[in-house]
Amino acid sequence: MASLRTSLINGSFDQTISAVDRGFSYGDGVFRTMKIKGGQPISWPFHYQKLVADCAAIGIVCPSAELLMSDMQQLFPINEFDDEQVQVVKIIITRGEGERGYAPPAVTIPTRVLIKSNMPSYADAHYTQGVRLHICDTRLALQPKLAGIKHLNRLENVLARMEWRDESVFDGLMLDQNDHVIECTMSNIFARVGQTLYTPDLSQCGVAGITRQHILGLENLLGLTAHVATISLQELLNADEVIICNSLYGAFQVAAIGDQTWKQQSLASTIRNILTHG
Amino acid sequence: MASLRTSLINGSFDQTISAVDRGFSYGDGVFRTMKIKGGQPISWPFHYQKLVADCAAIGIVCPSAELLMSDMQQLFPINEFDDEQVQVVKIIITRGEGERGYAPPAVTIPTRVLIKSNMPSYADAHYTQGVRLHICDTRLALQPKLAGIKHLNRLENVLARMEWRDESVFDGLMLDQNDHVIECTMSNIFARVGQTLYTPDLSQCGVAGITRQHILGLENLLGLTAHVATISLQELLNADEVIICNSLYGAFQVAAIGDQTWKQQSLASTIRNILTHG
């Protein structure tokens, strides 16, 4: 499916990984997805910091930033891209190959996989009118040992994403087993109530993305107070404004969740401007 | 790591899978591990039935039994094995390759991976004296949509298995978030109290193995009443006899869990005899 020279495995152009890689056997690894512009990864220091933290959380020693940057230079040779071309790289780090059984080998060499893809094209209406969310029936299980980590055990997201085929739905809202709002299948979420910006507590489940972290640091620029909080579905639906975010599209206003709709407002576009232009 | 002709990918001898296989990207698949004796898979009808059910639970159409049997005949050519040689095959079925994103492609062709390995060698003392269990700190999250399924999202088992290195510990006891006993990292568990055999309810988490299912059907042969129940750690520690089971070793008595010890009894060896000789 991947064409030639679109993926790099442990520093070599290749399209396959070992069938006994623990990333395949157990989902024993982590990943990131980020934009590449003019051959350079956007917000790389934040992505790398998160990659290191996520690896450490499951006991993997993350490859060095230098090694991964060298991989990216191979995959996105600078002379092949003009300054404005935006592409996407997914970086996967696994614990490496292993014999049968859950115990990691005494010595493991992490596997690093970089996959290049085109930037998804988002409808103009997503920018001008906002997006619709489906409320997923699939609940996120509470697992504090894995909460916040972007690991390879993503069956909950897959099952949630399989709940709708309606192309007018952009993403699916995911609640946890206690019916608290957590995230969307591929996005984090924020709710503005007056001058306060709330985002769900991710200490029990969910993925703590770097765009969420970035937005939490924009209080002064946005003129809002930001809080990490426990949020019920009703509280979300009662919010003055709801936005979602990830590293690819930045931020979109939520125009509708089920029957609840919101008029067009400016927070998402303000955040997109800040994320793009600093 | 795997040597030549020890793994079969979609019917061909190969040691690698696509880096964009959803089994690798998301753990989007299921697996089974079973014994092969004289080239024939042991308890194949039960394993295949479970494979079909696990695939269906996450919306994958399982390859036919004929196709998988044909794979096994390639991997274990009958003239290469004497009647008594026991080996192990791991069968992995994934949703197949996919583009970036959680939504499965409109048409997916499941990937089938068969990996051959040697039968683990178990210490004589495991048979004659029983085994020791570590009580894992890692708790199983409650996820009814994935409970019972042997899927590829196994980070909880990996983290649990990383908790001990003491080679005298055979397996780790796993509790759920409510501190109920569920299973071991690679085994199911039973507790005998008088003439009743209890095994944990797996409707919220855990893997429902076929040996567990088999043992639940042995009430008459064992002269015991079998019940699926909610079991606390204290109830397990107070049991008259505790055994663990899986498809490779059959059943072992538990001789010790932490400080609690049990004298040698006959249930595990009786079950091993029945499982081996019918």
Side-chain angles (χ1 to χ4, degrees), chain B residues 117-137:
Chain B
S117 59
N118 293 327
M119 182 71 183
S121 59
Y122 300 107
D124 287 344
H126 292 347
Y127 295 93
T128 56
Q129 296 164 32
V131 297
R132 280 185 58 207
L133 303 183
H134 160 77
I135 301 174
C136 296
D137 179 52

Side-chain angles (χ1 to χ4, degrees), chain A residues 42 55 87 114 150 159 166 192 198 209 221 223:
Chain A
I42 304 295
C55 280
Q87 292 188 289
L114 282 79
K150 193 155 181 162
L159 293 183
D166 177 351
R192 182 182 64 77
Y198 295 98
L221 278 172

Side-chain angles (χ1 to χ4, degrees), chain A:
Chain A
M1 185 162 285
S3 62
L4 285 172
R5 300 182 78 80
T6 57
S7 56
L8 203 73
I9 319 289
N10 293 326
S12 301
F13 284 103
D14 198 346
Q15 298 167 65
T16 64
I17 59 147
S18 164
V20 297
D21 193 282
R22 292 174 58 99
F24 183 62
S25 308
Y26 307 127
D28 193 3
V30 302
F31 70 108
R32 302 223 59 73
T33 303
M34 65 192 83
K35 283 198 285 196
I36 299 275
K37 191 171 176 185
Q40 296 298 313
I42 304 295
S43 300
W44 171 243
F46 300 98
H47 281 291
Y48 183 68
Q49 187 178 41
K50 175 68 175 158
L51 200 58
V52 169
D54 283 359
C55 280
I58 58 171
I60 294 174
V61 177
C62 188
S64 72
E66 291 69 28
L67 194 57
L68 292 172
M69 276 302 289
S70 150
D71 284 350
M72 280 189 279
Q73 284 159 9
Q74 272 201 79
L75 196 56
F76 299 92
I78 199 126
N79 55 349
E80 284 184 17
F81 301 97
D82 65 46
D83 286 353
E84 291 308 310
Q85 187 176 5
V86 177
Q87 292 188 289
V88 174
V89 67
K90 179 173 177 177
I91 301 181
I92 303 169
I93 307 293
T94 81
R95 200 180 306 276
E97 298 183 22
E99 304 286 344
R100 212 184 53 71
Y102 293 118
V107 179
T108 56
I109 302 164
T111 301
R112 51 188 212 282
V113 174
L114 282 79
I115 299 170
K116 175 164 70 175
S117 59
N118 292 327
M119 183 70 183
S121 59
Y122 300 107
D124 286 345
H126 293 346
Y127 296 93
T128 56
Q129 297 163 33
V131 297
R132 279 185 59 208
L133 303 183
H134 160 77
I135 302 175
C136 296
D137 178 53
T138 303
R139 293 289 185 275
L140 291 161
L142 310 180
Q143 179 48 276
K145 286 212 174 187
L146 295 172
I149 304 171
K150 193 155 181 162
H151 53 67
L152 294 173
N153 280 200
R154 300 258 72 97
L155 264 174
E156 290 178 327
N157 303 61
V158 170
L159 293 183
R161 183 59 189 82
M162 286 168 70
E163 291 184 27
W164 80 92
R165 288 178 186 230
D166 177 351
E167 290 188 4
S168 75
V169 172
F170 180 72
D171 204 349
L173 179 66
M174 299 191 75
L175 312 178
D176 69 13
Q177 303 283 3
N178 295 324
D179 283 348
H180 296 142
V181 171
I182 301 297
E183 62 188 3
C184 295
T185 70
M186 59 172 182
S187 312
N188 285 122
I189 191 161
F190 284 83
R192 182 182 64 77
V193 179
Q195 295 306 107
T196 307
L197 193 58
Y198 295 98
T199 195
D201 173 28
L202 303 181
S203 62
Q204 299 296 309
C205 56
V207 174
I210 71 148
T211 307
R212 170 182 178 273
Q213 200 56 43
H214 200 152
I215 293 172
L216 282 172
L218 299 180
E219 287 181 304
N220 289 344
L221 278 172
L222 297 173
L224 299 172
T225 307
H227 283 295
V228 173
T230 300
I231 302 173
S232 70
L233 177 58
Q234 198 53 55
E235 286 170 331
L236 182 75
L237 296 177
N238 290 342
D240 295 321
E241 193 171 0
V242 176
I243 66 159
I244 59 173
C245 65
N246 79 16
S247 291
L248 297 191
Y249 62 76
F252 283 139
Q253 178 178 343
V254 174
I257 303 178
D259 295 334
Q260 176 68 44
T261 58
W262 286 267
K263 69 177 194 296
Q264 199 195 326
Q265 295 172 87
S266 61
L267 182 58
S269 64
T270 302
I271 290 173
R272 276 201 308 274
N273 278 333
I274 296 171
L275 293 176
T276 308
H277 305 294

Side-chain angles (χ1 to χ4, degrees), chain B residues 71-90:
Chain B
D71 285 351
M72 280 189 278
Q73 283 158 10
Q74 270 201 81
L75 197 55
F76 299 92
I78 198 127
N79 55 350
E80 284 185 18
F81 301 97
D82 65 46
D83 284 355
E84 291 308 309
Q85 188 178 4
V86 178
Q87 293 188 285
V88 174
V89 67
K90 180 173 176 176

